[in-house]
Amino acid sequence: MSDDVSRRRFDEARTLALSDGVFAIALTLLVISIDVPDLSARNEDELAQALVDRSGELFSWLLSFAVIAFLWVRHHGFFGDVARLDRRLTVLNLAYLGGVAFLPYPTDVLGAYGDQPAAVGLYAATLAFIAGVGGFMGVHAARAGLLSADGAARLAAEEEVMAWWLTPAIVLVAFPLSFLVGGWAALVWATPAVVPRFRRNAAH
Amino acid sequence: MSDDVSRRRFDEARTLALSDGVFAIALTLLVISIDVPDLSARNEDELAQALVDRSGELFSWLLSFAVIAFLWVRHHGFFGDVARLDRRLTVLNLAYLGGVAFLPYPTDVLGAYGDQPAAVGLYAATLAFIAGVGGFMGVHAARAGLLSADGAARLAAEEEVMAWWLTPAIVLVAFPLSFLVGGWAALVWATPAVVPRFRRNAAH
Amino acid sequence: MSDDVSRRRFDEARTLALSDGVFAIALTLLVISIDVPDLSARNEDELAQALVDRSGELFSWLLSFAVIAFLWVRHHGFFGDVARLDRRLTVLNLAYLGGVAFLPYPTDVLGAYGDQPAAVGLYAATLAFIAGVGGFMGVHAARAGLLSADGAARLAAEEEVMAWWLTPAIVLVAFPLSFLVGGWAALVWATPAVVPRFRRNAAH
Amino acid sequence: MSDDVSRRRFDEARTLALSDGVFAIALTLLVISIDVPDLSARNEDELAQALVDRSGELFSWLLSFAVIAFLWVRHHGFFGDVARLDRRLTVLNLAYLGGVAFLPYPTDVLGAYGDQPAAVGLYAATLAFIAGVGGFMGVHAARAGLLSADGAARLAAEEEVMAWWLTPAIVLVAFPLSFLVGGWAALVWATPAVVPRFRRNAAH
């Protein structure tokens, strides 16, 4: 019995250590997608101009940093409500981390080809995958009784407001639209799409 | 005595922190092996096509992400059964992490040259090394009495089913075969090869 | 009640795990900005000379390693005084980590174009952003009553000495000046600018 | 009093988290120094040959992985004997981590130019720096009374055998010699040079 409890705590501790590691690395690895300008003739105006020309890469870095940071807040909020893990939740969490670990690639493509539907579509599809798996983790945890009492109450209140498939749907439709209309608007759309769980996290 | 216990806990905590770190970084570092298409003439069809042309790199990323994720599940399951560490287990674990940390290189080679036996062979040899060291860690932990009572019982039950050298043997033979027959089949083979310990992890 | 306490501990533990991860990765990732010399004709004098020619990159590596290391000491000192987190402190901390995760890019630009105002300005602006957010975290934590009793006393004593906006102001003005006068002098300036909190950390 | 104890535990926990992070990343980041062969005409013999031609890079990867792994064992052994940290030990530890985080660069240079004294000298100098700072950490911890009772006894016994400056001296002289005589011999020399603390770690 006590062996079971320590085993469970061990499983949670290592799952969270791996998860925080993947989030921290994805957040930090993003920066290597911004290329240092390569100027043959070095003069001052040119460097300043070359740095400004990288604004597409800087924007996609900022977008992905904000997205991963808010995903981490959600992940952290969700696992604070989980009392125990089962096999399926572990596998779903690994798939979720796969989406997070993959995100630097669409970010890189978006930085280089931000004006093209294929780049925006790849990015939106990755976000929708993460949001979908994340939503499904909540559904599974609630059904399988993996939540703490407090967590179950909070999640039920949240589910009245929003179905789990709504976030990926919003991301798939609204994100590309607003991105193609005007890049920075996408940041506004992406943020509410990933943060519903955030508000309640501030309650305590 | 109490000093010994705290020392032991310290050793385990740092070994697991290092291990989780290496797993998390290997999982996340894989993505830098996928190159962003470099298009001189930018037109939409070309980017979509160039992304599809990367499917070899995407496949090797997916394969390695799945492999490392399942290796982490096994590692986590195994160390949950370990009650204390000795020098040899620490060294074996470092060799095991060496294999995990090396995996992004064969992944990269496989992504670029997936149709060639040398690329598949290098990947299979790396997997077989990891599986072999992992199997040997189990044998050593059982012989040297490093397992908890529960852990020893579980491992004994498992060993009746499968010798420790069986997994590397399967990987060395079946993985290249199925890969060369049809790439995606390798994912099916690689998965059971690395997950025997996984099933029982779900029991609690 | 006890549920709240464990929840709070969980939030702090994961915030610090993410923060330490980002610091550790930023510290280690810096090194990939130093390029290995690419010599077509390999002779001994040439390699030694080529390594010496990288001194600009080595200097910017050393500068950024020292800066991030001291920022970590401050961050660690600050969170040692924090008794609980609220939503705003979490968001400020993520913005702070964004600055730290971004630093390898200005470091890389500085290594390549250290003699140009645009490179020095980008670096100084990033440092000033980090210092400003860091200072604001202290102000917010004090106002919102998030500090421990000891921490509040220490921070009050410190604030008599130095306003929170002073560090970013120093960095923005003095750092570029001393860098352009003579690169290594910047290390001397950067160090006191980021370490005021450090002294008191040594008190216990 | 109790506040002081929790503060001390906090300092140790974050110092070790940062240290384990830097070790884990340095171990894993090494692999990106091994380049994937770039073959224009793809034929099988060529890939196998090109992979064999990378043996210099593979050797320097293996050398550095072994070195960092054994440094981690020493670091872990040393901090297991430390009862509390002071400012100087924190700064020394950051300098030590700087050496570890820098090691991928000399590794990369050694992989590309392993037959040249400048490459071997840079590598040996980095190792000697790490070993010297590590030795000095032991001396400082003993003098400043930072060790646990057990730790102080173990370190005293060790110091009879070996002065703290002996390891860097060995590394500076023996490593380049044996490397230039025959590369693989260096692995043998490097290993005993970094592992004296290791033996006793196995005692418990």
Side-chain angles (χ1 to χ4, degrees), chain C residues 3 12 27 41 71 103 105 142 152 156 158 166 168 177 196 204:
Chain C
D3 209 47
E12 272 204 51
L27 281 174
L71 288 173
L103 205 56
Y105 180 64
E158 197 168 280
L166 197 61
L177 273 183
H204 64 264

Side-chain angles (χ1 to χ4, degrees), chain B residues 108-141:
Chain B
D108 216 350
V109 174
L110 194 69
Y113 303 99
D115 51 344
Q116 298 203 6
V120 179
L122 179 67
Y123 196 94
T126 307
L127 276 193
F129 172 80
I130 297 170
V133 174
F136 197 69
M137 282 165 74
V139 171
H140 170 67

Side-chain angles (χ1 to χ4, degrees), chain A residues 43-84:
Chain A
N43 76 52
E44 296 182 11
D45 299 333
E46 215 181 341
L47 179 62
Q49 190 54 48
L51 290 172
V52 170
D53 289 350
R54 303 268 155 199
S55 60
E57 293 183 25
L58 284 172
F59 168 70
S60 70
W61 177 82
L62 195 64
L63 176 68
S64 288
F65 192 93
V67 165
I68 298 178
F70 283 117
L71 288 174
W72 174 79
V73 171
R74 284 195 69 180
H75 191 270
H76 155 157
F78 174 68
F79 274 95
D81 289 342
V82 167
R84 60 188 191 84

Side-chain angles (χ1 to χ4, degrees), chain A:
Chain A
M1 185 69 187
S2 138
D3 209 48
D4 255 30
V5 170
S6 77
R7 173 89 206 194
R8 198 185 294 161
R9 212 166 285 161
F10 174 82
D11 287 345
E12 272 205 52
R14 288 203 66 184
T15 300
L16 295 176
L18 188 84
S19 304
D20 287 331
V22 169
F23 275 109
I25 300 152
L27 281 174
T28 321
L29 209 60
L30 287 171
V31 84
I32 67 173
S33 74
I34 315 179
D35 292 322
V36 174
D38 185 16
L39 307 175
S40 39
R42 298 186 176 189
N43 76 52
E44 296 182 11
D45 299 333
E46 215 181 341
L47 179 62
Q49 190 54 48
L51 290 172
V52 170
D53 289 350
R54 303 268 155 199
S55 60
E57 293 183 25
L58 284 172
F59 168 70
S60 70
W61 177 82
L62 195 64
L63 176 68
S64 288
F65 192 93
V67 165
I68 298 178
F70 283 117
L71 288 174
W72 174 79
V73 171
R74 284 195 69 180
H75 191 270
H76 155 157
F78 174 68
F79 274 95
D81 289 342
V82 167
R84 60 188 191 84
L85 301 171
D86 66 355
R87 178 170 62 159
R88 184 167 295 181
L89 189 59
T90 300
V91 172
L92 286 171
N93 187 45
L94 289 169
Y96 184 94
L97 295 178
V100 172
F102 185 67
L103 204 57
Y105 180 64
T107 302
D108 217 350
V109 174
L110 194 68
Y113 304 99
D115 51 343
Q116 299 204 7
V120 179
L122 179 67
Y123 196 94
T126 306
L127 276 194
F129 172 80
I130 296 171
V133 174
F136 197 68
M137 281 166 74
V139 172
H140 169 68
R143 278 189 199 152
L146 307 176
L147 299 171
S148 67
D150 276 24
R154 270 179 247 163
L155 209 72
E158 198 169 277
E159 270 183 357
E160 285 173 28
V161 185
M162 200 156 141
W164 73 266
W165 46 263
L166 198 61
T167 305
I170 291 174
V171 171
L172 266 182
V173 176
F175 179 80
L177 274 182
S178 67
F179 195 93
L180 292 172
V181 170
W184 290 91
L187 199 53
V188 183
W189 265 105
T191 307
V194 296
V195 295
R197 185 174 296 273
F198 188 53
R199 227 159 325 149
R200 116 189 131 46
N201 197 37
H204 62 264

Side-chain angles (χ1 to χ4, degrees), chain A residues 3 7 10-11 14-15 17-18 21-22 25-26 29 32 87 91 94 97-98 101-102 105 108 112-113 116-117 119, chain B residues 16 20 24-25 28 31 34-37 39 42 47 51 58 61 65 72 75-77 80-81 150 154 198 201-202 204:
Chain A
D3 209 48
R7 173 89 206 194
F10 174 82
D11 287 345
R14 288 203 66 184
T15 300
L18 188 84
V22 169
I25 300 152
L29 209 60
I32 67 173
R87 178 170 62 159
V91 172
L94 289 169
L97 295 178
F102 185 67
Y105 180 64
D108 217 350
Y113 304 99
Q116 299 204 7
Chain B
L16 295 176
D20 287 332
I25 301 153
T28 321
V31 84
I34 316 180
D35 292 322
V36 173
L39 308 174
R42 297 187 177 190
L47 178 63
L51 290 172
L58 284 172
W61 177 82
F65 192 92
W72 174 79
H75 190 270
H76 156 157
D81 289 342
D150 275 25
R154 270 179 245 162
F198 188 52
N201 196 36
H204 62 264

Side-chain angles (χ1 to χ4, degrees), chain B residues 99-186:
Chain B
V100 171
F102 185 67
L103 204 58
Y105 180 64
T107 302
D108 216 350
V109 174
L110 194 69
Y113 303 99
D115 51 344
Q116 298 203 6
V120 179
L122 179 67
Y123 196 94
T126 307
L127 276 193
F129 172 80
I130 297 170
V133 174
F136 197 69
M137 282 165 74
V139 171
H140 170 67
R143 277 189 198 153
L146 307 176
L147 299 170
S148 67
D150 275 25
R154 270 179 245 162
L155 209 73
E158 199 170 275
E159 271 184 356
E160 285 173 28
V161 184
M162 200 157 142
W164 73 267
W165 46 263
L166 197 62
T167 305
I170 291 174
V171 170
L172 266 183
V173 177
F175 179 80
L177 273 183
S178 66
F179 196 92
L180 293 172
V181 170
W184 290 91

